[in-house]
Amino acid sequence: MSAETALRTAAPGSRARPHRAWIWMYHSAADPSDDPYGITVAPERLDLQLRALRRRGLAGVGVSTLLRARAAGRGRGLVGLTFDDGYADFVDSALPVLRRHDCTATVFVLPGRLGGVNAWDPEGPRKPLLTADQIRAVAAAGMEVGSHGLVHRDLTAAGDDVLREETRGSRELIRELTGRAPDGFCYPYGYLDRRAADAVRAAGYAYGCAIDPGPLLGDVHALPRTHISQADRSARLLAKRLRHEVRTRR
Ligand SMILES: [Zn+2]
C-alpha cells in the first residue's frame, strides 16, 4: 500500500495529520568551512545530532516510512530525515553515521544531473552529485530515494511541459534507475504553489516535501520541514521541535 493510500484509508479523526510529522532537512555532509548557503553539516555534527535524537527515544526514518507509521498510529517515536540535492558525500559521510544510529533517511536526487555538480548555486563551492551507481547503492543500503526534479528548477516558474518533465519525467527515470517508482518529491528551493503541488500529485507521488508551505500547509504534497544546520546541538534541536509544534498546530 502506498503512503498516500495508507493516509486516505486511515480512520477519520486519526492522528495521521501528515503535516504535523517532524521532518529534518539536510543537504551535504562534509566540511562546512566554505558554505555560503548554510547547507553543509560536518559528519561529526550529524553524529551528535542523531545521538541527541536517539537519547530522547526517537528514531530517524525516511518520510515514506514515517507517513505509513503515522497512518497506522505508530508514528509517535519517529522523525523524518531528508537529504536534498543528492550530494555524493551522502555515501561516505552520512550513510555510515545513519547506520551507526540505526536510522534511515530519504535522499532526494536529481536524475537529470547524474554524476554532475550543483551548478544551480551561483556562489557555492561545486559539490559532486550522486552517480547512477551510487543512487542504486543508496537504495540497496535501505535508504528511500525520492525525486528533487530533473535538474533543480523552480517549479513555480516552469511552463506546463517543463513542470511535467520535472515531476513525471524524473519519477520515471528514478524508476528505471532503482526499479522502484519513488513515493516522494521535494520542491527545488522549497518553492511551490498549488499548481506545482497538483502536478506532483498527478505524477503519482504519495507526498511532497516543502520547507515553509504557507497556505498549502496541511496538504500531504506540501509537508513542512525543519532546516538542521551545523550550529544545531541538543538544546537548539529541542527549540526547533517546539517551533515545529507551534507552526503546524491546526
Ligand atoms: Zn535543492
Side-chain angles (χ1 to χ4, degrees):
M1 183 163 48
S2 77
E4 192 175 24
T5 313
L7 290 166
R8 257 197 253 109
T9 54
S14 82
R15 285 178 296 170
R17 293 175 302 180
H19 66 285
R20 301 216 62 187
W22 196 29
I23 303 173
W24 292 10
M25 176 179 66
Y26 289 103
H27 289 78
S28 168
D31 174 2
S33 50
D34 179 15
D35 187 31
Y37 296 101
I39 59 163
T40 309
V41 171
E44 299 75 20
R45 183 51 51 96
L46 174 64
D47 184 72
L48 182 146
Q49 291 165 344
L50 295 184
R51 196 182 306 272
L53 184 77
R54 297 303 257 156
R55 229 180 11 239
R56 294 209 179 97
L58 301 169
V61 295
V63 177
S64 190
T65 300
L66 174 66
L67 296 181
R68 286 165 203 252
R70 286 177 71 87
R74 293 182 283 98
R76 204 162 191 75
L78 301 180
V79 170
L81 299 179
T82 61
F83 289 79
D84 289 15
D85 300 339
Y87 291 108
D89 57 40
F90 181 83
V91 176
D92 291 329
S93 301
L95 192 52
V97 181
L98 289 163
R99 280 193 165 138
R100 192 175 309 143
H101 295 287
D102 205 16
C103 292
T104 59
T106 304
V107 184
F108 291 112
V109 304
L110 293 160
R113 291 190 189 271
L114 297 174
V117 293
N118 54 333
W120 63 89
D121 279 340
E123 283 171 39
R126 289 289 157 258
K127 287 171 178 275
L129 304 175
L130 294 166
T131 64
D133 281 345
Q134 286 174 321
I135 290 173
R136 279 190 281 267
V138 164
M143 302 295 132
E144 179 186 359
V145 175
S147 172
H148 200 28
L150 275 179
V151 291
H152 212 282
R153 286 191 181 109
D154 169 4
L155 298 191
T156 65
D160 289 347
D161 289 350
V162 169
L163 188 55
R164 203 172 312 110
E165 266 171 46
E166 292 288 326
T167 54
R168 199 177 290 271
S170 68
R171 189 160 192 256
E172 183 54 29
L173 285 177
I174 291 171
R175 191 189 62 73
E176 285 170 17
L177 269 176
T178 66
R180 229 200 113 134
D183 277 343
F185 186 88
C186 172
Y187 300 91
Y189 309 100
Y191 296 162
L192 77 163
D193 53 17
R194 170 50 62 200
R195 177 172 160 270
D198 285 347
V200 166
R201 181 182 296 103
Y205 295 98
Y207 70 88
C209 279
I211 303 171
D212 289 307
L216 297 183
L217 182 69
D219 187 327
V220 70
H221 291 91
L223 297 173
R225 291 183 298 162
T226 300
H227 175 240
I228 306 295
S229 78
Q230 175 69 16
D232 291 330
R233 292 162 175 272
S234 193
R236 281 177 58 121
L237 290 171
L238 185 59
K240 286 188 170 184
R241 169 149 216 171
L242 295 175
R243 199 162 71 208
H244 169 75
E245 300 289 340
V246 169
R247 78 170 170 156
T248 59
R249 194 171 290 153
R250 55 157 78 165

